[in-house]
Amino acid sequence: MDIDVRGPRFGAAVTTVVLAVVLITGSAWLLAWQTLAFALGTAGGVGRSPYGWLFRRAVRPRLGPPSEFEPPEPPRFAQAVGLVFAGVGLVGLTLGPAWLGLAATGAALAAAFLNAAFGYCLGCEMYLVLRRVTT
């Protein structure tokens, strides 16, 4: 079943803010939260992530009906890519080296910002390329 494209984009906007705060503060706890959010989005799809829940409960009822839909697999794969980068960032911030944590978090932030601001999902594009290569 296809999903409303506004949901993942909203999640990317929240993720952008969270990751920007992580870079500003160096908070490993906040990055751990974001890592958990990515893990839940990977395991259950973007609708099962905390930001998907927030979109469904608080944002979508205030919007008109969706005009665009997308298959759930590419955003779910993007969540997995985010999970890898956030996980590496968490290791870097907690165990070192700190530059690794900051670099991985910055890469995840850049990807989330592209989706939030421009609707360009790098992880989704990676999914489509991998599908073409493997089929």
Side-chain angles (χ1 to χ4, degrees):
M1 183 169 156
D2 288 349
I3 58 174
D4 182 346
V5 298
R6 300 172 298 183
R9 197 162 179 188
F10 171 80
V14 176
T15 299
T16 297
V17 171
V18 169
L19 293 175
V21 172
V22 168
L23 285 179
I24 292 167
T25 65
S27 172
W29 289 107
L30 190 55
L31 186 54
W33 161 256
Q34 183 58 53
T35 304
L36 175 63
F38 280 139
L40 293 171
T42 299
V46 293
R48 300 281 189 258
S49 74
Y51 308 145
W53 179 87
L54 183 61
F55 175 77
R56 211 171 40 256
R57 296 285 185 195
V59 177
R60 187 163 184 212
R62 290 167 175 71
L63 302 174
S67 60
E68 289 184 64
F69 295 91
E70 67 181 327
E73 295 84 9
R76 191 173 187 172
F77 181 82
Q79 291 288 297
V81 173
L83 175 60
V84 170
F85 277 90
V88 170
L90 191 56
V91 168
L93 288 183
T94 57
L95 303 175
W99 65 264
L100 178 64
L102 296 173
T105 302
L109 170 62
F113 176 77
L114 281 174
N115 193 359
F118 304 109
Y120 187 80
C121 175
L122 283 174
C124 300
E125 295 301 321
M126 287 173 55
Y127 174 84
L128 296 174
V129 168
L130 285 171
R131 281 282 313 255
R132 280 187 224 124
V133 170
T134 60
T135 56

